[in-house]
Amino acid sequence: MSEPNDFKITRRDLIAAGAALSISPLSANVAAQSPPVQRALEPTHGGSVSLLVNGQRQQLDLDNRTSLLDALREHLHLTGTKKGCDHGQCGACTVIVDGQRINSCLTLAVMHEGAEVTTVEGLGTPASLHPMQQAFVDHDGFQCGYCTPGQICSAVSVLAEIEAGVPSHVTEDLAQPPQVTAAEIRERMSGNICRCGAYVNILDAITDVAEARA
């Protein structure tokens, strides 16, 4: 007869026993009675939003989580506005909403009920370019062109901001209206990234339009 000390359990025996326990009828019964795991994000209800886009009234039925950028691109097929970083860091999605430039990837479409939205398509047409669009062509203010729609929308708003007397971080005298200078333009356009590096030509294009207005 073997002694008590002769009884040995190997590591393989322990693994086999654990596997058998995990599929025992008791475990299966408990799993069957457990409630199903709920998804972290439940679908939200859709909503209707009315926008005046490039002069035309648009009525859209959207998921409440749809960004303004996706509403423009996916629902209205205005693909001039580009999706770059989708985090509000590159400026490729810049559009003009009620006279102010915004990153359309960072805002929901339903937040702009009744708003007037202008995209690069609404600034001009191939047959009749907006002065800023023409200046970008004349000064070769683009290379790959991906950031160009956002650059142009932002540039139009930059000159409007200066004309309205809105100061920037580099405005020297807050008691006086800001002037169109290279420093002002660079500061105000700093949120629009051009990975091709056409910044000098973009500056020339904006300066050209400003001088023509003056």
Side-chain angles (χ1 to χ4, degrees):
M1 173 178 281
S2 61
E3 296 297 330
N5 291 336
D6 293 337
F7 181 73
K8 296 181 179 180
I9 298 178
T10 66
R11 183 170 178 271
R12 179 177 296 177
D13 293 333
L14 287 174
I15 294 175
L21 182 60
S22 67
I23 58 173
S24 65
L26 178 61
S27 299
N29 186 44
V30 171
Q33 295 178 2
S34 299
V37 177
Q38 298 295 321
R39 293 182 180 273
L41 292 176
E42 295 293 342
T44 60
H45 295 291
S48 179
V49 59
S50 177
L51 300 170
L52 184 64
V53 183
N54 297 333
Q56 296 185 355
R57 180 62 59 184
Q58 303 286 353
Q59 192 73 33
L60 300 173
D61 292 322
L62 303 171
D63 186 300
N64 290 335
R65 298 166 296 183
T66 304
S67 68
L68 179 59
L69 172 60
D70 286 339
L72 294 171
R73 288 183 56 85
E74 306 298 333
H75 295 267
L76 296 179
H77 308 294
L78 295 171
T79 56
T81 304
K82 296 297 187 285
K83 179 178 285 191
C85 64
D86 209 23
H87 287 79
Q89 297 176 352
C90 72
C93 69
T94 303
V95 298
I96 304 170
V97 178
D98 290 336
Q100 294 185 336
R101 53 182 170 147
I102 66 170
N103 292 324
S104 59
C105 73
L106 291 183
T107 186
L108 301 177
V110 294
M111 297 170 60
H112 299 282
E113 170 66 31
E116 181 176 354
V117 181
T118 302
T119 70
V120 68
E121 292 95 340
L123 292 176
T125 66
S128 179
L129 295 176
H130 184 279
M132 190 65 72
Q133 293 172 317
Q134 186 62 58
F136 267 67
V137 173
D138 295 341
H139 292 275
D140 196 20
F142 54 90
Q143 290 184 35
C144 78
Y146 195 85
C147 73
T148 304
Q151 297 274 4
I152 290 175
C153 286
S154 193
V156 169
S157 294
V158 161
L159 294 187
E161 291 166 6
I162 294 176
E163 290 176 1
V166 178
S168 76
H169 289 294
V170 299
T171 302
E172 295 182 359
D173 187 355
L174 297 181
Q176 300 296 325
Q179 302 298 310
V180 181
T181 63
E184 285 282 357
I185 295 174
R186 288 194 182 98
E187 168 63 25
R188 294 170 189 264
M189 291 292 294
S190 60
N192 290 83
I193 296 174
C194 174
R195 291 178 173 86
C196 297
Y199 295 114
V200 173
N201 297 345
I202 291 171
L203 175 61
D204 289 343
I206 299 172
T207 303
D208 189 26
V209 174
E211 291 176 350
R213 291 183 179 181

